[in-house]
Amino acid sequence: MRSGEELDGFEGEASSTSMISGASSPYQPTTEPVSQRRGLAGLRCDPDYLRSALGCLKVAQVILALIAFICIETIMECSPCEGLYFFEFVSCSAFVVTGVLLILFSLNLHMRIPQINWNLTDLVNTGLSTFFFFIASIVLAALNHKTGAEIAAVIFGFLATAVYAVNTFLAAQKWRVSLRQQSANDYIRARTESRDVDGRPEIQRLDT
C-alpha cells in the first residue's frame, strides 16, 4: 500500500493537472463581452449637423413645407381647384421626403447605408423641390381667390422655394467636392496597387 505522503503527492499532481487542462479547455466560460448587433440601438442625434448650414436649411424646409401644407388644407372651397391640389401635393411630398432625409442625416443613419450616394440624393431632392415649389406657388398665385389662407400658402411657398434653392446650391458644391475626393482616392489606390505588383516579382509573368 502507498503511504500518505505518496497519496498527497498524487492528489496534488492530479489537481494541478486538472487546473492546467481546465484553463486550456475551449469550453471554459470567458469574461470577454460578446459583440452583439447594434441594429437601431445606440442612436444619437448629431448636433454638429443640426448647427451646420445644411442642417439649418433642412429644418427650415421642413417647417416651411409643413406650414404651407397646413395653410392649403384650411381652404374649404375652390374653383378651379387644380392649382390648390397641385400645391397640396408638392408641399406634402416635400415635407415627407425632406423630413426623412433630416432624420437620416441628424441621426447619422445614412452612414449605415454607404451603397447610396447621399450627396447626390440630397441634391436631387432639393433641386426638384425648388422647381416644383416655384411652379406650384406661381400657379396658386394666379388662380387664388385672394383669401387669407391662399395668400399665406403662396407666401410660404415662395419662402420654401428660396430656402430649397440655397440648399441646392450648397448641395451641388458638396457633391462636386465628393466627386473630386473619390477621383483622388481611386487614383491613389490604383498607384498603390501598381507599385505592389511591381515590387513583387512572383506576381509578374515569367518570360518563356
Side-chain angles (χ1 to χ4, degrees):
M1 297 179 63
R2 295 185 179 180
S3 62
E5 294 180 354
E6 291 178 350
L7 291 175
D8 293 340
F10 178 78
E11 291 177 357
E13 291 177 357
S15 60
S16 61
T17 304
S18 62
M19 290 177 61
I20 295 175
S21 61
S24 59
S25 174
Y27 301 103
Q28 287 292 326
T30 177
T31 59
E32 296 180 358
V34 179
S35 59
Q36 299 178 353
R37 294 183 178 179
R38 293 189 303 173
L40 295 179
L43 293 181
R44 183 176 59 86
C45 182
D46 187 3
D48 294 333
Y49 174 77
L50 295 177
R51 287 193 293 262
S52 65
L54 292 176
C56 293
L57 289 173
K58 278 284 182 295
V59 174
Q61 291 162 13
V62 172
I63 295 175
L64 292 174
L66 178 60
I67 295 176
F69 178 73
I70 293 175
C71 290
I72 208 68
E73 285 295 310
T74 59
I75 301 174
M76 298 301 173
E77 296 180 359
C78 61
S79 178
C81 298
E82 288 78 9
L84 187 146
Y85 293 154
F86 181 60
F87 189 93
E88 179 183 18
F89 171 77
V90 170
S91 59
C92 181
S93 300
F95 169 73
V96 172
V97 176
T98 306
V100 171
L101 290 178
L102 176 61
I103 294 174
L104 291 175
F105 293 154
S106 60
L107 296 180
N108 288 325
L109 292 176
H110 65 291
M111 302 296 294
R112 304 187 182 186
I113 314 176
Q115 296 83 3
I116 300 177
N117 190 336
W118 292 105
N119 293 325
L120 181 59
T121 301
D122 187 30
L123 176 59
V124 172
N125 172 62
T126 53
L128 292 177
S129 299
T130 301
F131 174 76
F132 285 112
F133 247 125
F134 181 69
I135 299 299
S137 300
I138 291 179
V139 172
L140 185 62
L143 299 179
N144 72 73
H145 301 84
K146 308 300 181 182
T147 63
E150 289 175 321
I151 295 174
V154 170
I155 293 174
F156 283 107
F158 281 116
L159 289 176
T161 301
V163 175
Y164 272 108
V166 175
N167 195 3
T168 301
F169 176 75
L170 296 179
Q173 288 185 332
K174 186 177 181 180
W175 178 59
R176 292 172 184 172
V177 171
S178 65
L179 284 180
R180 294 173 184 173
Q181 292 178 350
Q182 184 178 0
S183 299
N185 293 335
D186 292 341
Y187 174 76
I188 294 174
R189 188 181 301 108
R191 290 291 302 272
T192 304
E193 292 176 355
S194 63
R195 290 177 181 176
D196 292 340
V197 172
D198 295 338
R200 297 176 62 184
E202 65 274 10
I203 301 180
Q204 299 177 0
R205 180 178 298 177
L206 297 176
D207 295 332
T208 56

